[in-house]
Every structure is written in C-alpha cells, then in structure tokens.
Amino acid sequence: MTPKNSVSLPDLAVSIKGLVKIYAGNKSQPAPKLAIDHVDLAIPRGGIFGLLGPNGAGKSTLINILAQLVRKTEGHVKIWDIDLDADPRHAAAAIGVVPQELNIDPFFTPRDLLDLQAGMYGVPKAERRTMELLEALSLGDKAGSYARTLSGGMRRRLMVAKAMVHNPPVLVLDEPTAGVDVELRQQLWAYVRELNKSGVTVLLTTHYLEEAEELCDQIAIINHGKVIACEPTSTLVSRLDRKEIVITVGADLTEAPAALAGFDPVLAGPRRLKLHYRPSETKVGAVLDAIRATHLEIVDLSTVESDLEDIFLELTRRQPQSA
C-alpha cells in the first residue's frame, strides 16, 4: 500500500520537530517522567539512519510515537511528508515497524500471518507479496508451518516480513538482531542492505555499535531524552580526538618507560605497550620521537583509529543527567 499523497518523493523520510513526551506519574513513580525532551531529527530519504543510546534513553518511546503506539505530549512529526496528527492513517501506511518483542500468534503459519497483516493494511490479494517476502527472508520452506515451531531467529525474520507487507517506504527496526547468533545477524544485515538499495529508508536502533558503524550512513545518539549528536557516521567517528599507538618491543617490560608517561601508557603484555595521544595537541612525530628516545628495540608498531564505541562512551559520559 503506497500513501496516496506521495506522488513526489520527499527529501526527508522522517521529520521530527520539538518532540516531547511526558509520562504521567503513577503509584510506583508519582512524579511525571520526561522521556523525550524537545527532540529535533531530520532523517533523509534513501539512507540507513542509526538511533543509538543507553537503556532508558528514550529510543523506544520515540519509535512508539512514530508507530502511533504512544501519544506525544507536544511537537510535530511527519513520515514521508505526511503529518502524523493531520493524516494518521496514511502516515501509518508509510511506515513499517519491527518491534523488539516477538509478538507472533503461535497457531498461525507464516503465510497466514502475512496475509492477515496485508489484509489489515487493505492490500488487495492480487498485490500481496507473501511468498516473495518469505523467500527473501529464507522462510519459504516454512510458509505452511505453525509459527510456534519456528526458531527465535526465524521468528525475528518473520517480524521483518510482517512489517513489509504493505510495501512501506520507511522501515523501523528496533533492536533487530538482539539475541540472535552471528550468522543470522549477517543475514539480516544483508537483507537490510538489499531493502535499502531498493529505495526503502531504514531507521535502525541497536545496542551493537559494530552494527551501527557497519550499516548506517548517519547516526543520532540520544541520552536522557535529548539528542546529543547527529552526524554522518564517518564524521562522528572522526570527532573523537584520541588515537592509540601500539608498540611491540624485543624484551620484556615490567613497567612503561618514564619518558612515555605523558602518553597515558598501558602495558598490554610483557612486550606490548599502548600509548595514547590527542592529534589536536600532539603530532604523531612527537610520539615517535619519544619512543626512539627510550632506545627500546621496536619489533612492530601499529596505530588504532577511534571507533563508534569510543565516541558513544565519550558523549554519554560527558552529558549530565536531566533534572
């Protein structure tokens, strides 16, 4: 099902401005909770956008607002240029959401589940892609099996198929590979890339920083309900002003040479030494000069670039918690 008012393709797949969600207090927690704190996000059409954050940061609340499972307190949301308040039906048709929970009826077959889901979205029988989706997710041979007989990984793939029955231009994957093995994770990554190549914009939340760095063109980091960074992945990684040099020496060390104390040295083994420096303050040549001055026998030397885990920890530790 394609949204009726999507004749021309929008620049933004999802536009969020001034989004706020306050949960009312209850018996266990009388004080209201600010879950989303004036969030602005512009998710470009055609990419894979990552949304990262620690537990309780507000990721799931934001996703549930997009899926119309949670009512926002204030702000404006557009999906595929369709206003969530003005036209909720067509906004829902423009997005498919794969939740963390495996909410599948165990007594239906995958074929029945996809047909039922397609019917709920008003997809005519002649336009349904049930077997195409099942085959794409390596579930074709399980089309007639009861869902209760499927493994956890198969159920996860079935959830992705359910989210795509109405052919939405935007797909949200909320922790899609949580609890699955490495092989299945790689399979899901490959399918996400294929969907993206076909024109689907993907919004991905994940706890696996490797996954975000591998898949995402752009990443937003949310913490305590606020967006604390939103940049292309390569730019975000390059922001961290810290590099590491690893040297292997020809004789055992019991401690790092005093001359290298300014480089935060760490003994990673009897003959392996890690040094750290900030490129904005120190040129790599100065580090190499200091190493030479120790007269250590250098057997090997390598550099380690910052990765997404470093920037994630740096940013989330730096931000104070909201009052």
Side-chain angles (χ1 to χ4, degrees), residues 173-206:
L173 301 171
D174 192 7
E175 303 285 351
T177 58
V180 304
D181 60 37
V182 174
E183 183 179 359
L184 176 57
R185 189 180 304 171
Q186 294 288 343
Q187 290 174 6
L188 284 171
W189 286 7
Y191 185 64
V192 168
R193 288 192 184 97
E194 287 302 313
L195 280 175
N196 183 243
K197 286 179 183 177
S198 72
V200 176
T201 302
V202 179
L203 171 56
L204 170 75
T205 78
T206 179

PDB file of all heavy atoms in Angstrom, residues 173-206:
ATOM      1  N   LEU A 173      13.547  -0.617  12.427  1.00  0.00           N
ATOM      2  CA  LEU A 173      13.997  -1.865  13.030  1.00  0.00           C
ATOM      3  C   LEU A 173      14.474  -1.556  14.449  1.00  0.00           C
ATOM      4  O   LEU A 173      15.509  -0.914  14.637  1.00  0.00           O
ATOM      5  CB  LEU A 173      15.139  -2.474  12.210  1.00  0.00           C
ATOM      6  CG  LEU A 173      14.827  -2.801  10.741  1.00  0.00           C
ATOM      7  CD1 LEU A 173      16.094  -3.190  10.001  1.00  0.00           C
ATOM      8  CD2 LEU A 173      13.805  -3.912  10.653  1.00  0.00           C
ATOM      9  N   ASP A 174      13.711  -1.999  15.424  1.00  0.00           N
ATOM     10  CA  ASP A 174      14.034  -1.723  16.824  1.00  0.00           C
ATOM     11  C   ASP A 174      14.792  -2.919  17.396  1.00  0.00           C
ATOM     12  O   ASP A 174      14.200  -3.960  17.681  1.00  0.00           O
ATOM     13  CB  ASP A 174      12.746  -1.456  17.608  1.00  0.00           C
ATOM     14  CG  ASP A 174      13.012  -0.874  18.988  1.00  0.00           C
ATOM     15  OD1 ASP A 174      14.177  -0.556  19.288  1.00  0.00           O
ATOM     16  OD2 ASP A 174      12.049  -0.736  19.773  1.00  0.00           O
ATOM     17  N   GLU A 175      16.096  -2.777  17.525  1.00  0.00           N
ATOM     18  CA  GLU A 175      16.967  -3.856  18.020  1.00  0.00           C
ATOM     19  C   GLU A 175      16.730  -5.163  17.233  1.00  0.00           C
ATOM     20  O   GLU A 175      16.409  -6.203  17.810  1.00  0.00           O
ATOM     21  CB  GLU A 175      16.720  -4.101  19.516  1.00  0.00           C
ATOM     22  CG  GLU A 175      16.915  -2.883  20.404  1.00  0.00           C
ATOM     23  CD  GLU A 175      18.378  -2.544  20.621  1.00  0.00           C
ATOM     24  OE1 GLU A 175      19.239  -3.342  20.221  1.00  0.00           O
ATOM     25  OE2 GLU A 175      18.650  -1.478  21.180  1.00  0.00           O
ATOM     26  N   PRO A 176      16.905  -5.132  15.904  1.00  0.00           N
ATOM     27  CA  PRO A 176      16.523  -6.292  15.093  1.00  0.00           C
ATOM     28  C   PRO A 176      17.351  -7.540  15.332  1.00  0.00           C
ATOM     29  O   PRO A 176      16.884  -8.650  15.071  1.00  0.00           O
ATOM     30  CB  PRO A 176      16.705  -5.791  13.655  1.00  0.00           C
ATOM     31  CG  PRO A 176      17.755  -4.732  13.775  1.00  0.00           C
ATOM     32  CD  PRO A 176      17.487  -4.061  15.089  1.00  0.00           C
ATOM     33  N   THR A 177      18.594  -7.389  15.799  1.00  0.00           N
ATOM     34  CA  THR A 177      19.445  -8.570  15.957  1.00  0.00           C
ATOM     35  C   THR A 177      19.726  -8.897  17.417  1.00  0.00           C
ATOM     36  O   THR A 177      20.657  -9.647  17.719  1.00  0.00           O
ATOM     37  CB  THR A 177      20.778  -8.378  15.204  1.00  0.00           C
ATOM     38  OG1 THR A 177      21.441  -7.210  15.714  1.00  0.00           O
ATOM     39  CG2 THR A 177      20.549  -8.201  13.719  1.00  0.00           C
ATOM     40  N   ALA A 178      18.912  -8.347  18.318  1.00  0.00           N
ATOM     41  CA  ALA A 178      19.107  -8.648  19.742  1.00  0.00           C
ATOM     42  C   ALA A 178      18.873 -10.133  19.998  1.00  0.00           C
ATOM     43  O   ALA A 178      17.844 -10.696  19.619  1.00  0.00           O
ATOM     44  CB  ALA A 178      18.146  -7.814  20.585  1.00  0.00           C
ATOM     45  N   GLY A 179      19.846 -10.791  20.581  1.00  0.00           N
ATOM     46  CA  GLY A 179      19.694 -12.181  20.965  1.00  0.00           C
ATOM     47  C   GLY A 179      19.819 -13.190  19.850  1.00  0.00           C
ATOM     48  O   GLY A 179      19.496 -14.361  20.045  1.00  0.00           O
ATOM     49  N   VAL A 180      20.275 -12.782  18.666  1.00  0.00           N
ATOM     50  CA  VAL A 180      20.439 -13.741  17.576  1.00  0.00           C
ATOM     51  C   VAL A 180      21.921 -14.023  17.375  1.00  0.00           C
ATOM     52  O   VAL A 180      22.789 -13.236  17.769  1.00  0.00           O
ATOM     53  CB  VAL A 180      19.802 -13.231  16.258  1.00  0.00           C
ATOM     54  CG1 VAL A 180      18.342 -12.910  16.457  1.00  0.00           C
ATOM     55  CG2 VAL A 180      20.537 -12.003  15.731  1.00  0.00           C
ATOM     56  N   ASP A 181      22.215 -15.149  16.730  1.00  0.00           N
ATOM     57  CA  ASP A 181      23.617 -15.530  16.565  1.00  0.00           C
ATOM     58  C   ASP A 181      24.268 -14.726  15.435  1.00  0.00           C
ATOM     59  O   ASP A 181      23.603 -13.999  14.688  1.00  0.00           O
ATOM     60  CB  ASP A 181      23.753 -17.031  16.318  1.00  0.00           C
ATOM     61  CG  ASP A 181      23.013 -17.503  15.073  1.00  0.00           C
ATOM     62  OD1 ASP A 181      22.992 -16.762  14.070  1.00  0.00           O
ATOM     63  OD2 ASP A 181      22.446 -18.612  15.100  1.00  0.00           O
ATOM     64  N   VAL A 182      25.575 -14.863  15.324  1.00  0.00           N
ATOM     65  CA  VAL A 182      26.348 -14.054  14.388  1.00  0.00           C
ATOM     66  C   VAL A 182      25.920 -14.314  12.950  1.00  0.00           C
ATOM     67  O   VAL A 182      25.791 -13.381  12.143  1.00  0.00           O
ATOM     68  CB  VAL A 182      27.862 -14.345  14.554  1.00  0.00           C
ATOM     69  CG1 VAL A 182      28.665 -13.626  13.482  1.00  0.00           C
ATOM     70  CG2 VAL A 182      28.324 -13.916  15.936  1.00  0.00           C
ATOM     71  N   GLU A 183      25.661 -15.585  12.606  1.00  0.00           N
ATOM     72  CA  GLU A 183      25.275 -15.923  11.236  1.00  0.00           C
ATOM     73  C   GLU A 183      23.967 -15.257  10.849  1.00  0.00           C
ATOM     74  O   GLU A 183      23.843 -14.673   9.771  1.00  0.00           O
ATOM     75  CB  GLU A 183      25.163 -17.444  11.081  1.00  0.00           C
ATOM     76  CG  GLU A 183      24.839 -17.871   9.654  1.00  0.00           C
ATOM     77  CD  GLU A 183      24.759 -19.383   9.504  1.00  0.00           C
ATOM     78  OE1 GLU A 183      24.979 -20.107  10.507  1.00  0.00           O
ATOM     79  OE2 GLU A 183      24.473 -19.839   8.387  1.00  0.00           O
ATOM     80  N   LEU A 184      22.983 -15.322  11.738  1.00  0.00           N
ATOM     81  CA  LEU A 184      21.692 -14.706  11.440  1.00  0.00           C
ATOM     82  C   LEU A 184      21.831 -13.190  11.377  1.00  0.00           C
ATOM     83  O   LEU A 184      21.195 -12.536  10.544  1.00  0.00           O
ATOM     84  CB  LEU A 184      20.661 -15.092  12.509  1.00  0.00           C
ATOM     85  CG  LEU A 184      19.289 -14.431  12.368  1.00  0.00           C
ATOM     86  CD1 LEU A 184      18.677 -14.720  11.008  1.00  0.00           C
ATOM     87  CD2 LEU A 184      18.352 -14.905  13.473  1.00  0.00           C
ATOM     88  N   ARG A 185      22.662 -12.636  12.239  1.00  0.00           N
ATOM     89  CA  ARG A 185      22.873 -11.191  12.210  1.00  0.00           C
ATOM     90  C   ARG A 185      23.398 -10.756  10.845  1.00  0.00           C
ATOM     91  O   ARG A 185      22.940  -9.770  10.262  1.00  0.00           O
ATOM     92  CB  ARG A 185      23.852 -10.786  13.314  1.00  0.00           C
ATOM     93  CG  ARG A 185      23.973  -9.284  13.514  1.00  0.00           C
ATOM     94  CD  ARG A 185      24.952  -8.958  14.629  1.00  0.00           C
ATOM     95  NE  ARG A 185      24.585  -9.607  15.874  1.00  0.00           N
ATOM     96  CZ  ARG A 185      25.356  -9.637  16.948  1.00  0.00           C
ATOM     97  NH1 ARG A 185      26.552  -9.066  16.917  1.00  0.00           N
ATOM     98  NH2 ARG A 185      24.949 -10.237  18.043  1.00  0.00           N
ATOM     99  N   GLN A 186      24.344 -11.526  10.311  1.00  0.00           N
ATOM    100  CA  GLN A 186      24.896 -11.209   8.997  1.00  0.00           C
ATOM    101  C   GLN A 186      23.821 -11.315   7.914  1.00  0.00           C
ATOM    102  O   GLN A 186      23.779 -10.507   6.976  1.00  0.00           O
ATOM    103  CB  GLN A 186      26.062 -12.147   8.675  1.00  0.00           C
ATOM    104  CG  GLN A 186      27.291 -11.979   9.566  1.00  0.00           C
ATOM    105  CD  GLN A 186      28.061 -10.704   9.301  1.00  0.00           C
ATOM    106  OE1 GLN A 186      27.885 -10.074   8.258  1.00  0.00           O
ATOM    107  NE2 GLN A 186      28.922 -10.307  10.224  1.00  0.00           N
ATOM    108  N   GLN A 187      22.941 -12.323   8.038  1.00  0.00           N
ATOM    109  CA  GLN A 187      21.852 -12.479   7.066  1.00  0.00           C
ATOM    110  C   GLN A 187      20.904 -11.286   7.106  1.00  0.00           C
ATOM    111  O   GLN A 187      20.480 -10.765   6.063  1.00  0.00           O
ATOM    112  CB  GLN A 187      21.081 -13.770   7.350  1.00  0.00           C
ATOM    113  CG  GLN A 187      21.840 -15.045   7.042  1.00  0.00           C
ATOM    114  CD  GLN A 187      21.075 -16.286   7.482  1.00  0.00           C
ATOM    115  OE1 GLN A 187      19.934 -16.206   7.926  1.00  0.00           O
ATOM    116  NE2 GLN A 187      21.709 -17.445   7.360  1.00  0.00           N
ATOM    117  N   LEU A 188      20.573 -10.841   8.311  1.00  0.00           N
ATOM    118  CA  LEU A 188      19.675  -9.695   8.448  1.00  0.00           C
ATOM    119  C   LEU A 188      20.329  -8.425   7.925  1.00  0.00           C
ATOM    120  O   LEU A 188      19.679  -7.597   7.280  1.00  0.00           O
ATOM    121  CB  LEU A 188      19.253  -9.525   9.907  1.00  0.00           C
ATOM    122  CG  LEU A 188      18.211 -10.521  10.415  1.00  0.00           C
ATOM    123  CD1 LEU A 188      18.044 -10.394  11.925  1.00  0.00           C
ATOM    124  CD2 LEU A 188      16.868 -10.319   9.732  1.00  0.00           C
ATOM    125  N   TRP A 189      21.613  -8.271   8.175  1.00  0.00           N
ATOM    126  CA  TRP A 189      22.333  -7.117   7.639  1.00  0.00           C
ATOM    127  C   TRP A 189      22.239  -7.097   6.114  1.00  0.00           C
ATOM    128  O   TRP A 189      21.996  -6.048   5.512  1.00  0.00           O
ATOM    129  CB  TRP A 189      23.803  -7.172   8.049  1.00  0.00           C
ATOM    130  CG  TRP A 189      24.083  -6.839   9.471  1.00  0.00           C
ATOM    131  CD1 TRP A 189      23.176  -6.628  10.480  1.00  0.00           C
ATOM    132  CD2 TRP A 189      25.372  -6.675  10.072  1.00  0.00           C
ATOM    133  NE1 TRP A 189      23.826  -6.365  11.656  1.00  0.00           N
ATOM    134  CE2 TRP A 189      25.175  -6.386  11.444  1.00  0.00           C
ATOM    135  CE3 TRP A 189      26.671  -6.758   9.591  1.00  0.00           C
ATOM    136  CZ2 TRP A 189      26.228  -6.170  12.316  1.00  0.00           C
ATOM    137  CZ3 TRP A 189      27.722  -6.541  10.471  1.00  0.00           C
ATOM    138  CH2 TRP A 189      27.503  -6.243  11.812  1.00  0.00           C
ATOM    139  N   ALA A 190      22.458  -8.267   5.515  1.00  0.00           N
ATOM    140  CA  ALA A 190      22.421  -8.353   4.047  1.00  0.00           C
ATOM    141  C   ALA A 190      21.039  -7.978   3.526  1.00  0.00           C
ATOM    142  O   ALA A 190      20.920  -7.263   2.518  1.00  0.00           O
ATOM    143  CB  ALA A 190      22.801  -9.764   3.596  1.00  0.00           C
ATOM    144  N   TYR A 191      19.987  -8.435   4.209  1.00  0.00           N
ATOM    145  CA  TYR A 191      18.631  -8.117   3.757  1.00  0.00           C
ATOM    146  C   TYR A 191      18.328  -6.634   3.923  1.00  0.00           C
ATOM    147  O   TYR A 191      17.692  -6.022   3.060  1.00  0.00           O
ATOM    148  CB  TYR A 191      17.606  -8.966   4.516  1.00  0.00           C
ATOM    149  CG  TYR A 191      16.198  -8.763   4.006  1.00  0.00           C
ATOM    150  CD1 TYR A 191      15.858  -9.125   2.702  1.00  0.00           C
ATOM    151  CD2 TYR A 191      15.216  -8.191   4.810  1.00  0.00           C
ATOM    152  CE1 TYR A 191      14.578  -8.922   2.215  1.00  0.00           C
ATOM    153  CE2 TYR A 191      13.937  -7.988   4.326  1.00  0.00           C
ATOM    154  CZ  TYR A 191      13.618  -8.352   3.033  1.00  0.00           C
ATOM    155  OH  TYR A 191      12.352  -8.142   2.550  1.00  0.00           O
ATOM    156  N   VAL A 192      18.790  -6.043   5.017  1.00  0.00           N
ATOM    157  CA  VAL A 192      18.586  -4.611   5.231  1.00  0.00           C
ATOM    158  C   VAL A 192      19.252  -3.810   4.115  1.00  0.00           C
ATOM    159  O   VAL A 192      18.679  -2.853   3.582  1.00  0.00           O
ATOM    160  CB  VAL A 192      19.133  -4.183   6.614  1.00  0.00           C
ATOM    161  CG1 VAL A 192      19.209  -2.661   6.732  1.00  0.00           C
ATOM    162  CG2 VAL A 192      18.247  -4.739   7.719  1.00  0.00           C
ATOM    163  N   ARG A 193      20.451  -4.215   3.734  1.00  0.00           N
ATOM    164  CA  ARG A 193      21.147  -3.518   2.645  1.00  0.00           C
ATOM    165  C   ARG A 193      20.373  -3.643   1.339  1.00  0.00           C
ATOM    166  O   ARG A 193      20.286  -2.683   0.559  1.00  0.00           O
ATOM    167  CB  ARG A 193      22.562  -4.082   2.477  1.00  0.00           C
ATOM    168  CG  ARG A 193      23.529  -3.703   3.596  1.00  0.00           C
ATOM    169  CD  ARG A 193      24.963  -4.054   3.205  1.00  0.00           C
ATOM    170  NE  ARG A 193      25.899  -3.788   4.284  1.00  0.00           N
ATOM    171  CZ  ARG A 193      26.341  -4.687   5.143  1.00  0.00           C
ATOM    172  NH1 ARG A 193      25.911  -5.948   5.063  1.00  0.00           N
ATOM    173  NH2 ARG A 193      27.201  -4.365   6.085  1.00  0.00           N
ATOM    174  N   GLU A 194      19.829  -4.840   1.074  1.00  0.00           N
ATOM    175  CA  GLU A 194      19.056  -5.033  -0.158  1.00  0.00           C
ATOM    176  C   GLU A 194      17.796  -4.176  -0.149  1.00  0.00           C
ATOM    177  O   GLU A 194      17.435  -3.572  -1.166  1.00  0.00           O
ATOM    178  CB  GLU A 194      18.684  -6.516  -0.325  1.00  0.00           C
ATOM    179  CG  GLU A 194      19.847  -7.404  -0.714  1.00  0.00           C
ATOM    180  CD  GLU A 194      20.505  -6.958  -2.005  1.00  0.00           C
ATOM    181  OE1 GLU A 194      19.787  -6.689  -2.986  1.00  0.00           O
ATOM    182  OE2 GLU A 194      21.747  -6.856  -2.030  1.00  0.00           O
ATOM    183  N   LEU A 195      17.109  -4.116   0.980  1.00  0.00           N
ATOM    184  CA  LEU A 195      15.928  -3.254   1.091  1.00  0.00           C
ATOM    185  C   LEU A 195      16.301  -1.802   0.824  1.00  0.00           C
ATOM    186  O   LEU A 195      15.609  -1.082   0.107  1.00  0.00           O
ATOM    187  CB  LEU A 195      15.312  -3.373   2.494  1.00  0.00           C
ATOM    188  CG  LEU A 195      14.433  -4.583   2.780  1.00  0.00           C
ATOM    189  CD1 LEU A 195      14.026  -4.587   4.253  1.00  0.00           C
ATOM    190  CD2 LEU A 195      13.180  -4.556   1.906  1.00  0.00           C
ATOM    191  N   ASN A 196      17.396  -1.381   1.415  1.00  0.00           N
ATOM    192  CA  ASN A 196      17.833  -0.006   1.243  1.00  0.00           C
ATOM    193  C   ASN A 196      18.174   0.291  -0.214  1.00  0.00           C
ATOM    194  O   ASN A 196      17.826   1.353  -0.740  1.00  0.00           O
ATOM    195  CB  ASN A 196      19.021   0.264   2.155  1.00  0.00           C
ATOM    196  CG  ASN A 196      19.491   1.702   2.089  1.00  0.00           C
ATOM    197  OD1 ASN A 196      20.623   1.973   1.689  1.00  0.00           O
ATOM    198  ND2 ASN A 196      18.651   2.641   2.463  1.00  0.00           N
ATOM    199  N   LYS A 197      18.833  -0.660  -0.880  1.00  0.00           N
ATOM    200  CA  LYS A 197      19.156  -0.476  -2.296  1.00  0.00           C
ATOM    201  C   LYS A 197      17.904  -0.352  -3.152  1.00  0.00           C
ATOM    202  O   LYS A 197      17.908   0.326  -4.182  1.00  0.00           O
ATOM    203  CB  LYS A 197      20.006  -1.653  -2.799  1.00  0.00           C
ATOM    204  CG  LYS A 197      21.446  -1.631  -2.326  1.00  0.00           C
ATOM    205  CD  LYS A 197      22.206  -2.845  -2.857  1.00  0.00           C
ATOM    206  CE  LYS A 197      23.626  -2.885  -2.330  1.00  0.00           C
ATOM    207  NZ  LYS A 197      24.356  -4.099  -2.781  1.00  0.00           N
ATOM    208  N   SER A 198      16.828  -0.998  -2.709  1.00  0.00           N
ATOM    209  CA  SER A 198      15.577  -0.942  -3.466  1.00  0.00           C
ATOM    210  C   SER A 198      14.805   0.358  -3.210  1.00  0.00           C
ATOM    211  O   SER A 198      13.742   0.575  -3.804  1.00  0.00           O
ATOM    212  CB  SER A 198      14.688  -2.140  -3.110  1.00  0.00           C
ATOM    213  OG  SER A 198      14.144  -2.001  -1.805  1.00  0.00           O
ATOM    214  N   GLY A 199      15.329   1.218  -2.326  1.00  0.00           N
ATOM    215  CA  GLY A 199      14.691   2.514  -2.094  1.00  0.00           C
ATOM    216  C   GLY A 199      14.069   2.695  -0.736  1.00  0.00           C
ATOM    217  O   GLY A 199      13.530   3.771  -0.437  1.00  0.00           O
ATOM    218  N   VAL A 200      14.094   1.670   0.117  1.00  0.00           N
ATOM    219  CA  VAL A 200      13.498   1.778   1.450  1.00  0.00           C
ATOM    220  C   VAL A 200      14.455   2.523   2.376  1.00  0.00           C
ATOM    221  O   VAL A 200      15.636   2.190   2.469  1.00  0.00           O
ATOM    222  CB  VAL A 200      13.182   0.380   2.033  1.00  0.00           C
ATOM    223  CG1 VAL A 200      12.644   0.489   3.456  1.00  0.00           C
ATOM    224  CG2 VAL A 200      12.188  -0.356   1.140  1.00  0.00           C
ATOM    225  N   THR A 201      13.924   3.527   3.069  1.00  0.00           N
ATOM    226  CA  THR A 201      14.701   4.227   4.093  1.00  0.00           C
ATOM    227  C   THR A 201      14.590   3.433   5.386  1.00  0.00           C
ATOM    228  O   THR A 201      13.489   3.065   5.805  1.00  0.00           O
ATOM    229  CB  THR A 201      14.167   5.647   4.317  1.00  0.00           C
ATOM    230  OG1 THR A 201      14.216   6.357   3.079  1.00  0.00           O
ATOM    231  CG2 THR A 201      14.990   6.384   5.369  1.00  0.00           C
ATOM    232  N   VAL A 202      15.721   3.156   6.017  1.00  0.00           N
ATOM    233  CA  VAL A 202      15.746   2.314   7.219  1.00  0.00           C
ATOM    234  C   VAL A 202      16.164   3.149   8.419  1.00  0.00           C
ATOM    235  O   VAL A 202      17.167   3.865   8.373  1.00  0.00           O
ATOM    236  CB  VAL A 202      16.709   1.128   7.043  1.00  0.00           C
ATOM    237  CG1 VAL A 202      16.747   0.273   8.318  1.00  0.00           C
ATOM    238  CG2 VAL A 202      16.303   0.272   5.846  1.00  0.00           C
ATOM    239  N   LEU A 203      15.369   3.060   9.480  1.00  0.00           N
ATOM    240  CA  LEU A 203      15.717   3.644  10.776  1.00  0.00           C
ATOM    241  C   LEU A 203      16.000   2.492  11.722  1.00  0.00           C
ATOM    242  O   LEU A 203      15.137   1.648  11.970  1.00  0.00           O
ATOM    243  CB  LEU A 203      14.572   4.511  11.306  1.00  0.00           C
ATOM    244  CG  LEU A 203      14.691   5.019  12.758  1.00  0.00           C
ATOM    245  CD1 LEU A 203      15.970   5.797  12.964  1.00  0.00           C
ATOM    246  CD2 LEU A 203      13.479   5.856  13.131  1.00  0.00           C
ATOM    247  N   LEU A 204      17.222   2.439  12.223  1.00  0.00           N
ATOM    248  CA  LEU A 204      17.695   1.292  12.988  1.00  0.00           C
ATOM    249  C   LEU A 204      18.085   1.715  14.400  1.00  0.00           C
ATOM    250  O   LEU A 204      18.864   2.643  14.584  1.00  0.00           O
ATOM    251  CB  LEU A 204      18.919   0.706  12.265  1.00  0.00           C
ATOM    252  CG  LEU A 204      19.746  -0.370  12.971  1.00  0.00           C
ATOM    253  CD1 LEU A 204      19.005  -1.694  12.943  1.00  0.00           C
ATOM    254  CD2 LEU A 204      21.100  -0.508  12.297  1.00  0.00           C
ATOM    255  N   THR A 205      17.521   1.049  15.401  1.00  0.00           N
ATOM    256  CA  THR A 205      18.042   1.215  16.753  1.00  0.00           C
ATOM    257  C   THR A 205      18.793  -0.070  17.100  1.00  0.00           C
ATOM    258  O   THR A 205      18.378  -1.166  16.718  1.00  0.00           O
ATOM    259  CB  THR A 205      16.947   1.454  17.808  1.00  0.00           C
ATOM    260  OG1 THR A 205      16.304   0.224  18.143  1.00  0.00           O
ATOM    261  CG2 THR A 205      15.924   2.462  17.317  1.00  0.00           C
ATOM    262  N   THR A 206      19.895   0.076  17.780  1.00  0.00           N
ATOM    263  CA  THR A 206      20.692  -1.104  18.109  1.00  0.00           C
ATOM    264  C   THR A 206      21.560  -0.840  19.326  1.00  0.00           C
ATOM    265  O   THR A 206      21.933   0.294  19.610  1.00  0.00           O
ATOM    266  CB  THR A 206      21.583  -1.511  16.906  1.00  0.00           C
ATOM    267  OG1 THR A 206      22.371  -2.644  17.263  1.00  0.00           O
ATOM    268  CG2 THR A 206      22.502  -0.387  16.479  1.00  0.00           C
TER     269      THR A 206
END
